[in-house]
């Protein structure tokens, strides 16, 4: 697969590698493995998104990967990126994921991952 993460998560054109449903599902499984998914009631993830149409595709695929590995997923819908960081910490979640490409063109999208403290993952974890 190669290196997926850039300076601020994974970004690119929707439906073009790496911003595909297949990669999102595999990423969900990988996140669950890294954060030690324990089954229902064990490991929590908060997922927010912006209003890009492709966010619905990525949210569903990402959720499928996470749930298949035993994570509890909380979908918070369209919210600003700082809300996901805050909710991750305040809801005592293990990880937060924001589906957004921020200021990039509308055909783009991306995935930004936060640790349980609401901070961007360190580079060694993204590896």
């Amino acid at each position: 697969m190669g290196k997926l993460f850039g300076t601020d998560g994974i970004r690119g054109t929707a439906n073009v590698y790496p911003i595909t449903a297949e990669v999102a599902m595999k990423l969900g499984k990988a996140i669950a493995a890294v954060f030690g998914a324990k089954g229902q009631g064990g490991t929590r993830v908060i997922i927010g998104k912006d209003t890009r149409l492709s966010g619905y595709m990525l949210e569903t695929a990402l959720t499928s990967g996470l749930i298949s590995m035993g994570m509890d997923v909380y979908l918070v819908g369209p919210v600003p990126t700082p809300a996901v960081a805050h909710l991750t910490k305040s809801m005592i979640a293990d990880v937060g994921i924001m589906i957004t490409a921020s200021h990039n063109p509308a055909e783009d999208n991306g995935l930004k991952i936060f640790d349980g403290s609401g901070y961007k993952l360190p580079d060694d974890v993204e590896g």
Side-chain angles (χ1 to χ4, degrees):
M1 233 192 240
K3 185 167 170 54
L4 295 177
F5 288 87
T7 56
D8 203 20
I10 303 168
R11 289 195 181 170
T13 303
N15 281 322
V16 177
Y17 181 85
I19 306 300
T20 65
E22 180 182 12
V23 171
M25 187 181 73
K26 288 179 179 179
L27 182 64
K29 289 179 174 228
I31 290 168
V34 167
F35 284 89
K38 300 171 186 77
Q40 187 176 11
T43 314
R44 296 184 197 194
V45 59
I46 305 293
I47 299 178
K49 62 185 174 192
D50 65 17
T51 57
R52 295 165 197 262
L53 187 58
S54 59
Y56 293 88
M57 169 192 71
L58 296 171
E59 178 184 58
T60 303
L62 187 60
T63 299
S64 295
L66 292 161
I67 289 173
S68 75
M69 296 288 288
M71 289 196 85
D72 289 342
V73 177
Y74 296 84
L75 303 175
V76 297
V79 294
T81 300
V84 172
H86 175 73
L87 287 168
T88 301
K89 184 176 180 181
S90 67
M91 292 181 67
I92 313 169
D94 299 279
V95 62
I97 304 169
M98 181 65 188
I99 302 169
T100 184
S102 188
H103 57 278
N104 290 24
E107 62 272 8
D108 287 359
N109 217 327
L111 300 156
K112 184 172 183 171
I113 304 169
F114 301 95
D115 67 15
S117 299
Y119 292 101
K120 182 183 155 217
L121 289 183
D123 291 342
D124 63 322
V125 174
E126 288 180 347

